[in-house]
Every structure is written in structure tokens, then in C-alpha cells.
Amino acid sequence: MKAAYIKAYGGPDKVEIGEQSKPEVRTGDVRIKMKAASVNPIDWKTANGDLKALIKPPFPIMLGSDGAGIIESIGEGVSNFKIGDEVFFRCHKMDTGTFAEYFSVPAELVALKPKNMSFIEAASIPLIGLTVTQSLTEKADMVSGSKVLIHAGAGGVGTFAIQYAKACGAYIATTASKKRNALLSELGANEIIDYHTQNIEDVLSDYDIVLDTLGPSVHTASYKTLKKGGVLVTVLGIPDNETIAEYGANFMVKIVARMHNKKMHKLAAKHGALYKHHLMYASGSQLAEIAKLIEAGKIKAIIDSTYPLDQVQAAFERSMTGRAQGKIIITMD
Ligand SMILES: NC(=O)c1ccc[n+]([C@@H]2O[C@H](COP(=O)([O-])OP(=O)(O)OC[C@H]3O[C@@H](n4cnc5c(N)ncnc54)[C@H](OP(=O)(O)O)[C@@H]3O)[C@@H](O)[C@H]2O)c1
């Protein structure tokens, strides 16, 4: 089967498209004939070697972290899906490779594709959807009426986060370039701050939650928008000490992480706020809940662009500009 992979770390030019053996169907797996998969920054960060202190699978590293397709084979012990089911999923972090014609994945990570979405639309959802729902609900305890600042509202995570927060009854501010205003207000943003010309701390105050996809450069200003006891959840940079330990990082990585996290918590405490890092995890049952929101018309897919499988390099280059509006998709047909 045709698949995208790297045999050495480097930029997009290290991405190869070639023949790989069709994945076997292990106990508990379903094998999916892939229709589409989404590009997430983690894919090109993996190819760059940016994550090798934490996740270091052997070469060739198969690329692609989520997607949608049709189940074409069922492993032993799987009873909740059947051949022909249309599904979407996020794979395990150490077992990537959805930029391929076929992919085998534990059935527990899979959910039925929302009926009102195409494969391209459904493929845009799993990684960002799980990131957002886990960050805002599990980490930040968002409830109806919460005031939430979502950084980079026009990105993959941001466009989903605005819609999810709206569906949960939150009041939403977001940062974006002015040209994104029409889309972001349609998605549900109440306040849109043009980060090129405005400072968030000059216009926002008493927020409960900040969802950060940009990193420490926006933390001090973000804390100034929070009320006392508010929480900043970041999905960027070094994970928390517990996650680092779970991944079996070496001694030096653990020391660097501890120093970084201490600094992050200290800055939050200075502003009377909390700092949390979230590294998303795969879950079929959570995706099924997300599918219900989509089918209820509360969340739609925002697609920046689509590329065929043999153009993963070009798709990575587009993602690396940091200018995509919504999601970049790889199609298999
Ligand atoms: N920890 C986790 O589990 C996890 C999960 C998902 C994603 N992430 C990380 O989250 C980050 C964001 O992911 P993504 O998929 O949303 O990225 P993305 O789609 O590539 O984000 C692109 C968007 O960011 C906006 N942007 C860039 N700089 C900005 C700024 N200074 N202020 C406001 N908006 C800005 C751009 O809008 P303009 O062109 O208008 O500037 C563009 O629309 C990535 O680094 C990714 O690795 C982490």
C-alpha cells in the first residue's frame, strides 16, 4: 500500500511516499481503508525530530495522527464495529501512520463518523476535537457561563475550541488577524482581538480560562486577563512533570522539564492564577460524544485546504507557515 513516512529526521523534504506492507489486524484492532487524514503540527514536528526527547519510534516513522475511512477488516475480540462502518479516530502517539491507504487501530480509539460530515470533514476533527474537549472540560472545568479566551482562534484547535465553548454556553474572546473576523464571529466568538494592533490585557478582564496554543510569549498578557484563581491551559511546549515521567524521558529531560514547569507555575502564581499543560490522548468514547455535538449542528469542520497523499510535503509546508485557517487535509482517493 502507498504511505507517507520518514527514514531520517529533517524538514518536509525528508518525507517519502512509497510502498509499505498493509498493516496487520491485531487482536482488538479494526483495519480502516483510509479516505482522508488531517495534518496536525505534531506530524511535521515529529518529522523534524522536535519530539524525539519524548517520543522516539524506530525508522521508518509512519506519518499521520488521525483520520477517517471505512472499516475493511475486524480483529479478534471486536464486537462494537462491523465491516463497512464509516469511522473516524485518533491513533496512539507511538503508532502513527494515517497518511496511508490502510491503517490498523485499536477499536477503542474509533467512533462512527458523524452522519452529516464527509470523510474530509470528519478527518479534520479527531486530534483537535479531543485536544479541546479535554483541555477545556477536564483541565479547566469550563461550565456554562465561563469566560474563555482562546488564542489563535483561526487555527485548527482554535476554530474547534470556539464552537465547543459556544456549545457549552461559554462567553468567548479570541485572538486572530482582522481578516478572520467574519468566520470567527459566525463560529461563536463574542470578542475578536486583532493581535497585530491590540493588546489582550487592554481589552479583556475577569476571564476564567485561557486556552493557549502559542506558548510562553503570550502568558504574561494572558494572566492579566484572568480573574483571581483563573486557569491558563497550554497545549504547547514541555508537558507537565507527571506526563514527562510517564513517557519514560531520560534524567536530563526530566530536569529541564522540572525547571521549565517551576518557572511556568511561578509566573501563574504571581498573577494569582493556575498554569496547566495538556497533552491530548486518544479516546473513541470521547470522539463519539463529539460526533453527537456535530450531528446536533453545534460544530462544523473548517477546512483550509486538501492535498492528495503524494503531496504530504506540500501540506506540511502549508501547515508550517502558521497561517492555515482551520485544517489541512490529506486525501487518499
Ligand atoms: N498538546 C497537545 O495535545 C496539542 C494538540 C493539538 C495541537 N497542539 C499544538 O497547538 C498548536 C496550534 O495547533 P493548530 O493545529 O491550531 O495550529 P494551526 O492550525 O497551524 O494554527 C494556525 C493559526 O494560528 C494563527 N496564529 C498564528 N500566530 C498567531 C498569534 N500570534 N496570535 C493569534 N493567532 C495566531 C493563524 O492565524 P493568522 O494567520 O490570522 O495569524 C492561523 O490561523 C501547535 O503548536 C500544535 O502542535 C498541541
Side-chain angles (χ1 to χ4, degrees):
M1 65 159 195
K2 212 156 66 150
Y5 51 87
I6 51 161
K7 290 186 184 152
Y9 289 120
D13 57 326
K14 287 279 187 277
V15 175
E16 296 182 36
I17 314 293
E19 282 300 316
Q20 292 284 331
S21 43
K22 198 170 168 180
E24 59 187 48
V25 190
R26 300 152 297 199
T27 300
D29 275 1
V30 294
R31 188 167 58 206
I32 295 167
K33 176 157 181 26
M34 295 298 297
K35 290 287 198 179
S38 85
V39 175
N40 289 280
I42 194 169
D43 301 318
W44 49 261
K45 289 179 188 177
T46 299
N48 279 347
D50 296 351
L51 307 174
K52 62 185 177 207
L54 207 58
I55 305 173
K56 205 175 174 188
F59 291 113
I61 298 176
M62 309 300 289
L63 299 170
S65 307
D66 64 3
I70 302 172
I71 294 183
E72 65 97 44
S73 181
I74 302 259
E76 223 174 281
V78 177
S79 56
N80 50 339
F81 292 105
K82 59 182 189 318
I83 290 172
D85 278 348
E86 299 186 347
V87 294
F88 68 154
F89 66 97
R90 185 328 183 200
C91 60
H92 276 311
K93 288 190 178 72
M94 293 295 287
D95 199 7
T96 52
T98 63
F99 302 158
E101 290 175 306
Y102 294 90
F103 190 75
S104 280
V105 58
E108 65 189 12
L109 306 186
V110 173
L112 291 175
K113 175 177 84 62
K115 291 184 185 64
N116 55 344
M117 275 191 171
S118 67
F119 285 106
I120 286 177
E121 290 171 321
S124 77
I125 300 290
L127 192 146
I128 54 163
L130 293 166
T131 301
V132 167
T133 54
Q134 292 164 6
S135 298
L136 290 179
T137 304
E138 289 176 14
K139 286 272 163 138
D141 296 325
M142 182 178 71
V143 290
S144 179
S146 293
K147 286 175 76 182
V148 183
L149 164 60
I150 293 161
H151 276 293
V157 173
T159 47
F160 188 99
I162 292 169
Q163 298 180 82
Y164 177 67
K166 194 74 182 174
C168 295
Y171 182 86
I172 301 143
T174 192
T175 58
S177 302
K178 204 168 181 177
K179 61 182 176 195
R180 319 288 190 191
N181 277 16
L183 171 71
L184 301 188
S185 47
E186 186 201 319
L187 297 182
N190 301 97
E191 318 256 353
I192 304 169
I193 292 98
D194 177 1
Y195 71 91
H196 298 286
T197 58
Q198 287 175 291
N199 296 318
I200 48 172
E201 67 271 36
D202 295 340
V203 280
L204 305 176
S205 59
D206 280 336
Y207 273 67
D208 299 290
I209 298 165
V210 174
L211 177 62
D212 165 41
T213 52
L214 296 170
S217 63
V218 298
H219 286 187
T220 298
S222 297
Y223 287 130
K224 291 179 182 168
T225 70
L226 284 174
K227 60 167 68 150
K228 286 272 172 283
V231 55
L232 179 148
V233 184
T234 186
V235 294
L236 203 75
I238 299 175
D240 59 41
N241 300 341
E242 295 72 28
T243 307
I244 292 276
E246 274 168 31
Y247 274 79
N250 70 33
F251 180 71
M252 269 317 291
V253 174
K254 282 184 185 159
I255 295 283
V256 171
R258 265 188 225 136
M259 285 165 58
H260 169 84
N261 287 327
K262 194 172 171 187
K263 199 168 136 196
M264 295 296 111
H265 287 292
K266 204 170 158 191
L267 180 65
K270 192 173 141 193
H271 295 275
L274 289 171
Y275 167 83
K276 296 186 183 184
H277 186 281
H278 185 62
L279 193 56
M280 63 82 55
Y281 57 88
S283 163
S285 57
Q286 290 183 17
L287 261 188
E289 292 303 311
I290 290 171
K292 283 184 200 162
L293 286 174
I294 293 168
E295 286 175 350
K298 298 197 185 271
I299 292 176
K300 60 180 185 179
I302 307 299
I303 307 296
D304 176 82
S305 46
T306 60
Y307 295 80
L309 179 56
D310 57 8
Q311 286 179 27
V312 171
Q313 280 190 13
F316 276 13
E317 280 160 6
R318 170 69 184 149
S319 178
M320 289 166 83
T321 63
R323 300 277 82 85
Q325 178 172 286
K327 297 288 294 182
I328 299 160
I329 303 292
I330 304 295
T331 56
M332 308 319 156
D333 287 332

